[in-house]
Amino acid sequence: GIQVEQSPPDLILQEGANSTLRCNFSDSVNNLQWFHQNPWGQLINLFYIPSGTKQNGRLSATTVATERYSLLYISSSQTTDSGVYFCAVAGGTSYGKLTFGQGTILTVHP
Amino acid sequence: DSGVTQTPKHLITATGQRVTLRCSPRSGDLSVYWYQQSLDQGLQFLIQYYNGEERAKGNILERFSAQQFPDLHSELNLSSLELGDSALYFCASSVRSEGTSGRTDTQYFGPGTRLTVL
């Protein structure tokens, strides 16, 4: 099956800093989503981005499908950005079955 | 709020018991997915239903089963529970299974059911 690798595994920032999270995947995809899991365990949709670039406030994402990677940018980070960021992909005949990466644990200090 | 609801929020039970987790998808969504999040395995796909029919299966144990009812809500049944089944179980929904241009739809996740097996 498709493999998903996220980096870095951990990231510690001061409030106001910018960061880039990376997601590499091993095959062509027909779905790529970025999620934020908050401290209460809830998985929050950030982006549906199998290709191209999207922006939503301080967050933006870019997927280069031909090179099999996606980037999530967080600008002017806030303490509420802390949590785990997951990249998940579906590919081939997976009928939407999402394969998740191991996540990036982000901690933003005030 | 994603529009996907799951009950109960928390469940504590003993080994050997059977539990049922319930999921109501977003209004209009035909596809329901179940995922398990555990410390050692991470987030894993279990099973998918589309308009009442099983569509795809992941690494779902034989002790686990699921179904999607005519009103599109879904239930995940876990039996002969073991300590290792303790996990956060998510349900997600999407409009369809496959979208246009070969893309699959955005999946929206419910708040999860935290299962603790003692």
Side-chain angles (χ1 to χ4, degrees):
Chain A
I2 199 163
Q3 306 295 316
V4 182
E5 190 178 307
Q6 290 185 242
S7 60
D10 297 276
L11 191 53
I12 300 174
L13 301 173
Q14 287 297 125
E15 206 167 25
N18 302 328
S19 61
T20 301
L21 282 58
R22 187 176 179 103
C23 171
N24 292 332
F25 43 94
S26 61
D27 206 343
S28 58
V29 298
N30 52 35
N31 184 351
L32 190 147
Q33 292 183 234
W34 282 98
F35 297 90
H36 174 215
Q37 187 166 38
N38 64 23
W40 296 271
Q42 191 172 7
L43 275 172
I44 299 161
N45 270 304
L46 297 177
F47 294 102
Y48 168 84
I49 189 164
S51 64
T53 297
K54 287 187 179 178
Q55 180 153 9
N56 184 4
R58 296 182 295 103
L59 273 57
S60 64
T62 295
T63 297
V64 183
T66 51
E67 296 188 23
R68 299 183 184 166
Y69 73 89
S70 182
L71 301 173
L72 177 69
Y73 305 96
I74 304 174
S75 64
S76 304
S77 57
Q78 300 174 358
T79 56
T80 51
D81 295 331
S82 295
V84 186
Y85 289 80
F86 288 102
C87 167
V89 304
T93 56
S94 63
Y95 297 111
K97 161 196 165 182
L98 286 176
T99 298
F100 283 77
Q102 290 303 304
T104 292
I105 302 172
L106 175 64
T107 304
V108 181
H109 291 301
Chain B
D1 186 354
S2 66
V4 179
T5 60
Q6 290 187 246
T7 55
K9 284 189 170 52
H10 301 275
L11 200 46
I12 301 174
T13 188
T15 54
Q17 295 299 303
R18 182 178 191 274
V19 297
T20 297
L21 313 184
R22 183 188 169 102
C23 167
S24 293
R26 295 185 322 152
S27 177
D29 284 0
L30 298 177
S31 209
V32 168
Y33 311 78
W34 287 96
Y35 293 85
Q36 179 195 57
Q37 185 177 27
S38 62
L39 282 174
D40 52 347
Q41 298 287 335
L43 264 158
Q44 287 196 107
F45 168 78
L46 294 178
I47 197 163
Q48 178 201 359
Y49 280 82
Y50 177 71
N51 205 19
E53 300 290 326
E54 183 183 302
R55 193 61 187 256
K57 240 177 178 175
N59 294 328
I60 187 168
L61 299 171
E62 284 191 15
R63 300 183 285 108
F64 295 2
S65 64
Q67 55 184 338
Q68 186 179 27
F69 295 86
D71 67 353
L72 300 176
H73 90 272
S74 178
E75 292 181 357
L76 178 68
N77 300 296
L78 315 177
S79 62
S80 302
L81 285 168
E82 301 175 0
L83 296 177
D85 298 327
S86 295
L88 192 48
Y89 291 85
F90 288 104
C91 167
S93 73
S94 66
V95 174
R96 293 159 298 190
S97 183
E98 295 91 42
T100 57
S101 307
R103 295 280 171 83
T104 56
D105 288 336
T106 304
Q107 291 182 33
Y108 294 90
F109 280 68
T113 293
R114 189 172 296 277
L115 173 67
T116 303
V117 182
L118 300 175

